[in-house]
């Protein structure tokens, strides 16, 4: 990123992104976290921010290439509300709307490699309000409650919460729900072993197998894998993302 504007890449609408983050729960920019060289929020905001005003130019996510239609809307810092009014609701790093699907995106950068944390899921998530086709996600919820240290790198509890939120939000909008886990394998910034990268991928695969077939379709893709599909004007943006964030 340039010294004149260290937070945003060329083509990313800064005023729009700042306004979005000002409304969002995390206050990443106001708190100064966004400016941290290891910021995951900065990667997601810049990676997806370029498409806020040109959603039709966003390339498909490789695991969801079979979903019909190009994006009609792209958002960052998107709240997916549960089927009740009070309390906390999940915020996803990005969301993509097509004519048929709502795809929520959870983006990770260094977080999976900063030490294992036990899964935490309150009894709130045990409510029978998630609709049909969510039995595998609910079984994953129950498994994590029984084995809170099942995963060393993957924050599966967060993904369960996101899936439940996306299921509800998509139903409100008459769309099919999907959840993408978009992960980085950073080249620099902190020392991460190849074995840690491999274990992280194995944990992703384990979760994917366990929830396969449920209404909220789950898939994962690396940032590098997705950026490699960019073409045309977006290819220049992909190069800028790689140079700035080495994902």
């Amino acid at each position: 990123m340039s010294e004149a504007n260290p937070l945003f890449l060329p083509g990313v609408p800064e005023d729009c992104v700042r306004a979005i983050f000002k409304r969002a729960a995390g206050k990443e920019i106001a708190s100064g976290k966004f400016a941290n060289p290891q910021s995951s929020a900065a990667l997601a905001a810049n990676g997806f921010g370029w498409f806020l005003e040109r959603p039709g130019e966003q390339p498909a996510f490789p695991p969801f290439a079979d979903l019909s239609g190009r994006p009609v809307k792209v958002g960052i810092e998107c709240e997916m509300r549960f089927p009740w009014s009070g309390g906390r609701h999940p915020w996803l790093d990005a969301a993509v709307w097509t004519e048929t699907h709502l795809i929520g995106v959870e983006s990770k950068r260094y977080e999976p490699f900063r030490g294992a944390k036990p899964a935490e899921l309150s009894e709130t998530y045990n409510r029978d309000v998630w609709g049909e086709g969510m039995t595998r996600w609910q079984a994953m919820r129950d498994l994590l409650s029984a084995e809170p240290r099942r995963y060393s790198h993957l924050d599966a509890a967060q993904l369960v919460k996101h899936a439940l939120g996306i299921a509800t939000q998509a139903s409100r909008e008459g769309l099919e729900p999907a959840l993408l886990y978009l992960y980085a394998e950073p080249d620099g910034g902190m020392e991460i072993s190849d074995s840690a990268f491999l274990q992280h991928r194995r944990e992703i695969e384990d979760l994917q197998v366990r929830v396969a077939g449920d209404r909220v379709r789950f898939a994962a893709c690396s940032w590098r894998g997705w950026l490699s599909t960019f073409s045309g004007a977006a290819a220049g943006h992909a190069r800028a993302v790689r140079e700035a964030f080495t994902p």
Side-chain angles (χ1 to χ4, degrees), residues 109-133:
R109 195 176 174 200
Y110 291 92
E111 299 95 331
F113 312 106
R114 288 178 176 154
K117 296 180 181 179
E120 295 184 3
L121 287 156
S122 71
E123 293 185 2
T124 300
Y125 302 102
N126 294 335
R127 302 181 191 184
D128 186 18
V129 294
W130 308 116
E132 296 182 359

Side-chain angles (χ1 to χ4, degrees), residues 116-122 140-152 154-161:
K117 296 180 181 179
E120 295 184 3
L121 287 156
S122 71
M140 192 69 231
R141 172 202 64 196
D142 297 341
L143 178 61
L144 293 172
S145 295
E147 301 179 30
R149 294 190 180 275
R150 179 175 182 83
Y151 299 119
S152 301
L154 185 69
D155 190 346
Q158 183 186 50
L159 293 173
V160 168
K161 296 172 187 177

Side-chain angles (χ1 to χ4, degrees), residues 65-220:
D66 60 313
L67 300 186
S68 61
R70 297 189 66 81
V72 296
K73 178 183 175 182
V74 174
I76 58 174
E77 289 294 296
C78 299
E79 186 180 27
M80 302 289 160
R81 296 190 63 82
F82 292 135
W84 54 77
S85 57
R88 300 176 64 182
H89 303 260
W91 288 78
L92 277 83
D93 294 299
V96 178
W97 285 260
T98 71
E99 292 184 355
T100 57
H101 285 76
L102 168 59
I103 305 171
V105 180
E106 178 58 30
S107 172
K108 295 296 184 188
R109 195 176 174 200
Y110 291 92
E111 299 95 331
F113 312 106
R114 288 178 176 154
K117 296 180 181 179
E120 295 184 3
L121 287 156
S122 71
E123 293 185 2
T124 300
Y125 302 102
N126 294 335
R127 302 181 191 184
D128 186 18
V129 294
W130 308 116
E132 296 182 359
M134 293 296 290
T135 55
R136 292 175 178 85
W137 280 106
Q138 292 177 84
M140 192 69 231
R141 172 202 64 196
D142 297 341
L143 178 61
L144 293 172
S145 295
E147 301 179 30
R149 294 190 180 275
R150 179 175 182 83
Y151 299 119
S152 301
H153 301 288
L154 185 69
D155 190 346
Q158 183 186 50
L159 293 173
V160 168
K161 296 172 187 177
H162 286 349
L164 297 176
I166 292 167
T168 307
Q169 191 68 37
S171 293
R172 289 193 189 102
E173 300 183 26
L175 298 171
E176 294 296 320
L179 173 59
L180 180 77
Y181 185 68
L182 189 62
Y183 62 92
E185 293 185 336
D187 181 13
M190 65 180 288
E191 188 172 339
I192 306 170
S193 67
D194 290 341
S195 61
F197 287 142
L198 179 60
Q199 181 60 28
H200 181 225
R201 287 186 231 123
R202 285 174 174 167
E203 292 175 2
I204 295 169
E205 292 170 2
D206 183 72
L207 175 63
Q208 192 165 5
V209 169
R210 290 178 179 278
V211 301
D214 257 18
R215 181 159 56 93
V216 177
R217 180 174 166 182
F218 175 70

Side-chain angles (χ1 to χ4, degrees), residues 2-74:
S2 69
E3 294 182 3
N5 188 355
L7 297 184
F8 300 99
L9 293 173
V12 176
E14 178 176 350
D15 290 345
C16 178
V17 173
R18 285 185 178 277
I20 291 170
F21 273 88
K22 188 175 182 179
R23 295 192 299 268
K27 307 300 180 187
E28 295 280 345
I29 295 179
S31 68
K33 295 178 182 178
F34 196 94
N36 188 303
Q38 294 187 4
S39 171
S40 179
L43 169 58
N46 279 281
F48 286 92
W50 197 84
F51 300 104
L52 291 175
E53 297 175 346
R54 46 174 84 85
E57 296 184 36
Q58 182 185 292
F61 302 116
F64 291 149
D66 60 313
L67 300 186
S68 61
R70 297 189 66 81
V72 296
K73 178 183 175 182
V74 174

